[in-house]
Amino acid sequence: MNTIFDQAVERLRGMGQLAGISDSVLAGLSRPKAVMYASLPVRMDDGATQYFDAYRCHYSQLLGPSKGGIRFHPCVDDAEMRALGLWMTIKCALVNLPFGGAKGGVVVDPKSLSRMELERLSRAYMRAMADFVGPDLDIPAPDVYTNERIMGWMRDEYEVINGAKYPAVITGKPVNLGGSEGRFEATGRGAFYCIEFLRCKEGKLPVDISVAIQGFGNAGYHLARLLAAAGYKVVALSDSQGGIFCAEGLDVQLVHERKMVTHQINPNYPEGSVSNCENCDSYQAISNAELLAMSVDILVPAALENAINSDNVDAVGAKWIVEVANGPISLDADEALFARDIVVIPDVLANSGGVIVSYFEWVQNRAGYPWTLLEVQSRLKEKIESAFEGLWQYQHQKAGISFRQAAYAKALVHLEDVMKMKGTKEYFINGE
Ligand SMILES: NC(=O)C1=CN([C@@H]2O[C@H](COP(=O)(O)OP(=O)(O)OC[C@H]3O[C@@H](n4cnc5c(N)ncnc54)[C@H](O)[C@@H]3O)[C@@H](O)[C@H]2O)C=CC1
Ligand SMILES: O=C(O)CCC(=O)C(=O)O
């Protein structure tokens, strides 16, 4: 079976060969360094014990300790963790962070758990992985259906096990538990800076740009909020339950309030949906499929992998796609979009704001010196703009390549150079 990891490796190899990366380097990057599997026993509120499958994949530690989020989702599996770990490796190399790539996850529908069950599951995850993570080894963070509260529980569990304080063991924590100012919105803000960069290069005004966003969680919501505040027309939003459309532009805060309305009933996750807004003024209910097919200037997939695939790619009507989710475009769909001159800003740049501010959090934790929100935001902007400028120059010099090819080429050249400098102890680079 062709898994999502097989596809990620095929993409890596294709992009690597185009960039002239040696076969031995690509072979080294086509497999994870180590993958930990654990079965987590969790006491449920009714007294029964339930077992949950859990993973942590250290994909690469070439550039530093491995880094990447933890996902709580029913579709988590070994192949997905490897693919996400590989993409973290490319992302950290591209934006020049001293981190390798990792990802972790638990096979669970977290919305079905009570608050106490969720806390016990989060602590069980950290107990199982305690020897596999650490501030100089592997540093987790939030991803789909995990949040700052869960990061706080995990930090606490790690410290109970090790009998000392380790704020830098995990990032995306609440600010009062050692988190960084600005991490909560960093993924959306990073994507916003990418869109602003693109807009300026195109010489357009925000008001002339329509945007549709699939996924209204941490990444999608903060991006929508920042775009609307800057004057962009956010015309469509969706979540797992459906979407909403308004040609004149949606009131993002109103949609958010409606989504969070039932939040008080189940404090773990919002139970509402953006589609609760069906009856707001002229808003119109739409499906996720309709959102992905909209004729907008910018389409932002900000939910899960392979949202745009061979079945729906021909329907895509956007001019630009900004990949805020990891891997939202399948391999074959990517080729079809390129052939149609639809510009794709790849995930490894567009969603890198999250890991960039996680890096800032790790630095602040190690220095014991917190930064202000303005310091975080201006350093994030600087880092994204310099990465995008580098990519822009590279892509324009090498006529006929996509931004994804440019991003992989830059990241892989960096990884290859470091492998060569390190010598042959870890990576066997044939005769080089
Ligand atoms: N949170 C972070 O810092 C980062 C997140 N990402 C990526 O961004 C994407 C979204 O992550 P978060 O916003 O953190 O997750 P989240 O858990 O905060 O939100 C996920 C959103 O996606 C929606 N969704 C789930 N399945 C869907 C479907 N089939 N169709 C439409 N919408 C669906 C959910 O309803 C929710 O609105 C993921 O691919 C994640 O890996 C990437 C970098 C950093
Ligand atoms: O903040 C981090 O360390 C990782 C975020 C993440 O999981 C991602 O970029 O996909």
Side-chain angles (χ1 to χ4, degrees), residues 37-190:
Y37 162 81
S39 174
L40 310 180
V42 176
R43 174 79 59 85
M44 307 305 280
D45 290 347
D46 64 5
T49 300
Q50 206 168 308
Y51 294 87
F52 295 90
D53 291 326
Y55 302 89
R56 184 76 190 161
C57 168
H58 292 178
Y59 199 86
S60 166
Q61 293 178 335
L62 184 67
L63 301 182
S66 44
K67 188 89 189 78
I70 299 172
R71 178 172 290 198
F72 284 0
H73 194 278
C75 295
V76 161
D77 65 15
D78 179 81
E80 187 187 44
M81 296 298 102
R82 289 172 192 232
L84 289 162
L86 166 51
W87 295 331
M88 284 306 303
T89 304
I90 301 293
K91 192 184 306 181
C92 292
L94 175 69
V95 295
N96 209 9
L97 300 181
F99 289 141
K103 207 75 174 198
V106 179
V107 186
V108 59
D109 172 9
K111 296 181 187 175
S112 68
L113 303 184
S114 72
R115 183 194 167 284
M116 290 304 296
E117 288 168 342
L118 188 69
E119 179 173 347
R120 288 195 288 269
L121 176 73
S122 306
R123 288 181 181 276
Y125 183 86
M126 188 45 100
R127 277 198 302 284
M129 302 297 171
D131 290 339
F132 209 56
V133 301
D136 291 309
L137 177 63
D138 174 49
I139 307 134
D143 190 70
V144 175
Y145 297 155
T146 56
N147 54 33
E148 60 171 33
R149 189 124 202 220
I150 292 172
M151 300 304 113
W153 291 329
M154 288 187 178
R155 172 190 165 177
D156 185 64
E157 191 65 24
Y158 186 81
E159 293 179 344
V160 170
I161 293 164
N162 290 287
K165 299 296 173 198
Y166 292 97
V169 68
I170 202 159
T171 59
K173 303 176 293 289
V175 173
N176 61 11
L177 292 183
S180 175
E181 293 289 350
R183 177 60 183 88
F184 73 100
E185 58 157 25
T187 306
R189 183 169 284 277

Side-chain angles (χ1 to χ4, degrees), residues 68-378:
I70 299 172
R71 178 172 290 198
F72 284 0
H73 194 278
C75 295
V76 161
D77 65 15
D78 179 81
E80 187 187 44
M81 296 298 102
R82 289 172 192 232
L84 289 162
L86 166 51
W87 295 331
M88 284 306 303
T89 304
I90 301 293
K91 192 184 306 181
C92 292
L94 175 69
V95 295
N96 209 9
L97 300 181
F99 289 141
K103 207 75 174 198
V106 179
V107 186
V108 59
D109 172 9
K111 296 181 187 175
S112 68
L113 303 184
S114 72
R115 183 194 167 284
M116 290 304 296
E117 288 168 342
L118 188 69
E119 179 173 347
R120 288 195 288 269
L121 176 73
S122 306
R123 288 181 181 276
Y125 183 86
M126 188 45 100
R127 277 198 302 284
M129 302 297 171
D131 290 339
F132 209 56
V133 301
D136 291 309
L137 177 63
D138 174 49
I139 307 134
D143 190 70
V144 175
Y145 297 155
T146 56
N147 54 33
E148 60 171 33
R149 189 124 202 220
I150 292 172
M151 300 304 113
W153 291 329
M154 288 187 178
R155 172 190 165 177
D156 185 64
E157 191 65 24
Y158 186 81
E159 293 179 344
V160 170
I161 293 164
N162 290 287
K165 299 296 173 198
Y166 292 97
V169 68
I170 202 159
T171 59
K173 303 176 293 289
V175 173
N176 61 11
L177 292 183
S180 175
E181 293 289 350
R183 177 60 183 88
F184 73 100
E185 58 157 25
T187 306
R189 183 169 284 277
F192 171 70
Y193 291 145
C194 286
I195 291 175
E196 276 286 273
F197 183 95
L198 203 54
R199 177 183 74 73
C200 293
K201 291 282 184 194
E202 295 282 321
K204 288 192 163 194
L205 291 172
V207 68
D208 296 326
I209 300 182
S210 56
V211 188
I213 304 179
Q214 183 207 33
F216 200 58
N218 175 281
Y221 162 60
H222 288 294
L223 173 60
R225 176 178 64 75
L226 292 165
L227 287 172
Y232 288 79
K233 258 201 278 174
V234 179
V235 296
L237 293 166
S238 74
D239 58 27
S240 57
Q241 298 177 51
I244 195 92
F245 167 76
C246 176
E248 286 74 47
L250 297 158
D251 178 339
V252 173
Q253 284 310 338
L254 178 68
V255 177
H256 187 244
E257 280 162 28
R258 297 293 167 95
K259 181 168 172 74
M260 305 306 278
V261 138
T262 47
H263 187 68
Q264 306 308 324
I265 299 168
N266 177 345
N268 293 331
Y269 296 95
E271 286 295 306
S273 166
V274 303
S275 48
N276 286 357
C277 271
E278 271 170 47
N279 301 324
C280 304
D281 309 329
S282 54
Y283 294 4
Q284 189 188 320
I286 52 165
S287 66
N288 268 289
E290 286 170 320
L291 183 144
L292 293 172
M294 267 175 180
S295 297
V296 281
D297 294 300
I298 306 183
L299 171 64
V300 181
L304 298 173
E305 297 92 82
N306 288 346
I308 301 169
N309 51 56
S310 52
D311 293 336
N312 62 7
V313 67
D314 291 342
V316 168
K319 292 188 198 125
W320 303 329
I321 300 181
V322 178
E323 290 187 319
V324 168
N326 284 300
I329 302 178
S330 71
L331 204 57
D332 40 9
D334 209 26
E335 283 162 16
L337 293 168
F338 186 62
R340 284 173 56 199
D341 287 331
I342 296 177
V343 176
V344 175
I345 305 303
D347 48 6
V348 288
L349 175 70
N351 70 28
S352 64
V355 72
I356 291 173
V357 176
S358 276
Y359 165 59
F360 295 164
E361 183 170 326
W362 181 79
V363 168
Q364 292 169 70
N365 291 155
R366 293 175 79 103
Y369 189 80
W371 306 353
T372 64
L373 179 61
L374 280 180
E375 281 171 318
V376 170
Q377 289 174 347
S378 74

